[in-house]
Amino acid sequence: MNLLTQYKTVRQLTESICKPLQKEDYVVQPVVDVSPPKWHLGHTTWFFETLILKAHAKGYTEYDTNFNFVFNSYYESLGARVIRTQRGNLSRPTVDEIYLYRAHVDKAMEQLLAGPVSRELETLIVLGCNHEQQHQELLWTDIKYILGHNPLFPAYSDQPPKAHRKTSRSPLAQIQEGLYDIGYDGDDFCYDNEQNRHPVYIQDFMMATELVTNEEYLAFINEGGYKNFVHWHAEGWDWVRNNNIEAPLYWHFIEGQWFNYTLQGLQPVRMDDPVIHVSYYEAAAYAAWQGKRLPTEFEWEAAADRFTWGACWEWTESAYLPYPGFTRAEGAVGEYNGKFMVNQKVLRGASAFTSPGHARVTYRNFFHPHLRWQLTGIRLAQ
């Protein structure tokens, strides 16, 4: 796939994700972690305009000088910005204006890509495409949160979800102790936090070849898992009590039956599906209840060829830290990962919402332990 085709494919997918939405859906921000869909549309466009067109396209005319303030996410080196909690207050620019903004930038990008592109510029454009793919996954989960917290539980789509099928005959994979090379060493795209590839010594361990299912997690609920502090980290137990947590996100107990919100609306919980939308606190508590544990991110990568992954992001026991030899890039691009390496846990794998071609075994996702609006699940180790 050439660079222009890659760019157009990524940009079109973003808009196709938003196509089923009503105008009112584009503006809602129920909580700080969820951004309105129209902000994602604008921010991913701002990335190409600010970091590529304004710096590399001769004669480029900036669409609106206010948009740098509106759509800058967290790049301190690129100026002031609307704080994250205020994104839902942006009734202007309108949805229609943002689509015009996208068209303006797309036209300029296509003109830029029609000519010769340096290796440095190509690298930056590929980063921009991968950045937008990240926001595609966020779009899916933010849309689900917006609709899933509407009292009417409206459906995003009437397409039935894919059935989950177990893929392994053996419930556990034995992984031998030894040195394992961890991190990316290929020639295709990766984020800087996936490098440098380095050896890690791992002890013997066992890894579950299947994810924890809704049925298995329901047993934890039914046996008082959310009411017994023994299973929980201290911060996790405080989180449960302070927020009255009793089940995974989107679960509702109605007339003696568990339902959960899906993109197809409110549905009975499908017992064979992997449990998703659980926090690290919940994942760790479930593991403790089972007398097991979560794998480290290094164990996960060493064992990944022994099981099927990609249904949901999988919590690990690893803190989000830089690999040996990590160096922060200069300028705004260097803010992309370096500034977040504190107080977060690593997740591995991918999810059903991950954009095509974006998943790889070395990908390191990361979130604070209490967050669960992403498709986050559990794989056990022992």
Side-chain angles (χ1 to χ4, degrees):
M1 184 185 297
N2 66 38
L3 196 55
L4 177 57
T5 302
Q6 180 182 359
Y7 174 83
K8 292 174 71 173
T9 300
V10 168
R11 298 286 284 172
Q12 289 165 2
L13 178 56
T14 302
E15 296 187 12
S16 72
I17 294 170
C18 294
K19 191 172 182 180
L21 300 179
Q22 300 297 320
K23 284 284 182 68
E24 290 79 2
D25 299 325
Y26 280 86
V27 188
V28 182
Q29 185 181 25
V31 292
V32 63
D33 299 298
V34 170
S35 294
K38 77 171 193 176
W39 186 88
H40 287 291
L41 291 171
H43 169 69
T44 52
T45 304
W46 166 89
F47 187 99
F48 286 107
E49 180 179 62
T50 302
L51 295 180
I52 296 171
L53 291 173
K54 289 167 67 173
H56 298 277
K58 292 182 179 179
Y60 175 73
T61 302
E62 188 174 3
Y63 185 83
D64 188 320
T65 56
N66 289 319
F67 281 12
N68 189 66
F69 173 66
V70 172
F71 294 122
N72 183 359
S73 54
Y74 53 74
Y75 295 91
E76 298 284 353
S77 58
L78 295 177
R81 63 198 184 280
V82 173
I83 61 173
R84 190 170 184 175
T85 55
Q86 297 299 312
R87 293 173 185 172
N89 292 335
L90 291 167
S91 59
R92 307 293 176 89
T94 65
V95 173
D96 291 339
E97 183 72 11
I98 291 172
Y99 274 110
L100 290 174
Y101 176 42
R102 286 181 69 87
H104 174 86
V105 167
D106 285 347
K107 182 178 179 181
M109 283 295 299
E110 290 171 21
Q111 291 173 346
L112 179 65
L113 291 171
V117 174
S118 68
R119 181 62 178 170
E120 178 186 3
L121 181 55
E122 179 182 356
T123 299
L124 195 55
I125 293 170
V126 170
L127 174 62
C129 289
N130 279 268
H131 168 259
E132 183 145 346
Q133 287 180 303
Q134 283 188 315
H135 279 269
Q136 289 165 356
E137 185 158 4
L138 290 169
L139 260 175
W140 283 114
T141 49
D142 289 3
I143 289 168
K144 184 175 183 179
Y145 196 97
I146 289 165
L147 299 180
H149 285 79
N150 182 312
L152 299 178
F153 298 120
Y156 166 86
S157 168
D158 59 2
Q159 296 297 313
K162 293 181 180 179
H164 176 67
R165 293 180 176 84
K166 294 193 174 184
T167 57
S168 177
R169 296 179 181 178
S170 174
L172 292 171
Q174 174 73 51
I175 310 300
Q176 300 296 323
E177 71 174 308
L179 280 174
Y180 291 83
D181 288 329
I182 301 298
Y184 189 80
D185 68 346
D187 297 323
D188 294 327
F189 175 84
C190 76
Y191 288 110
D192 55 2
N193 67 352
E194 299 172 58
Q195 296 176 325
N196 292 313
R197 190 167 176 85
H198 62 288
V200 175
Y201 188 83
I202 297 175
Q203 301 282 351
D204 283 337
F205 73 101
M206 304 284 283
M207 178 77 94
T209 56
E210 298 290 346
L211 294 162
V212 173
T213 66
N214 287 324
E215 183 176 26
E216 292 167 333
Y217 197 85
L218 183 57
F220 171 69
I221 297 174
N222 290 339
E223 292 193 19
Y226 283 93
K227 301 183 184 304
N228 189 345
F229 71 90
V230 171
H231 311 306
W232 297 82
H233 293 304
E235 284 189 7
W237 185 239
D238 289 343
W239 173 77
V240 166
R241 292 185 300 168
N242 292 338
N243 296 281
N244 299 313
I245 305 296
E246 298 180 338
L249 183 64
Y250 300 120
W251 283 40
H252 303 273
F253 195 67
I254 304 172
E255 297 181 353
Q257 183 178 358
W258 281 104
F259 291 78
N260 67 340
Y261 179 78
T262 72
L263 290 180
Q264 293 72 43
L266 200 63
Q267 305 283 337
V269 170
R270 302 194 333 170
M271 294 299 167
D272 287 339
D273 283 357
V275 65
I276 55 173
H277 296 298
V278 290
S279 67
Y280 163 80
Y281 295 139
E282 291 166 294
Y286 177 85
W289 176 75
Q290 284 280 21
K292 298 178 182 176
R293 62 179 177 84
L294 301 178
T296 68
E297 67 163 317
F298 310 119
E299 290 174 332
W300 190 98
E301 188 171 327
D305 62 349
R306 306 288 293 276
F307 53 80
T308 299
W309 52 271
C312 61
W313 290 100
E314 304 175 23
W315 286 106
T316 76
E317 197 56 78
S318 295
Y320 181 42
L321 298 170
Y323 284 168
F326 173 85
T327 55
R328 183 167 165 170
E330 295 182 3
V333 172
E335 296 187 54
Y336 206 75
N337 280 307
K339 68 191 299 179
F340 294 115
M341 291 177 175
V342 63
N343 297 333
Q344 306 199 58
K345 287 289 190 177
V346 173
L347 300 99
R348 287 304 199 98
S351 83
F353 290 162
T354 302
S355 293
H358 201 56
R360 55 190 170 274
V361 74
T362 59
Y363 201 129
R364 305 174 75 204
N365 208 341
F366 52 94
F367 288 110
H368 288 100
H370 69 283
L371 294 175
R372 55 184 189 161
W373 95 107
Q374 292 297 304
L375 270 63
T376 49
I378 309 170
R379 188 183 302 276
L380 298 177
Q382 64 184 71

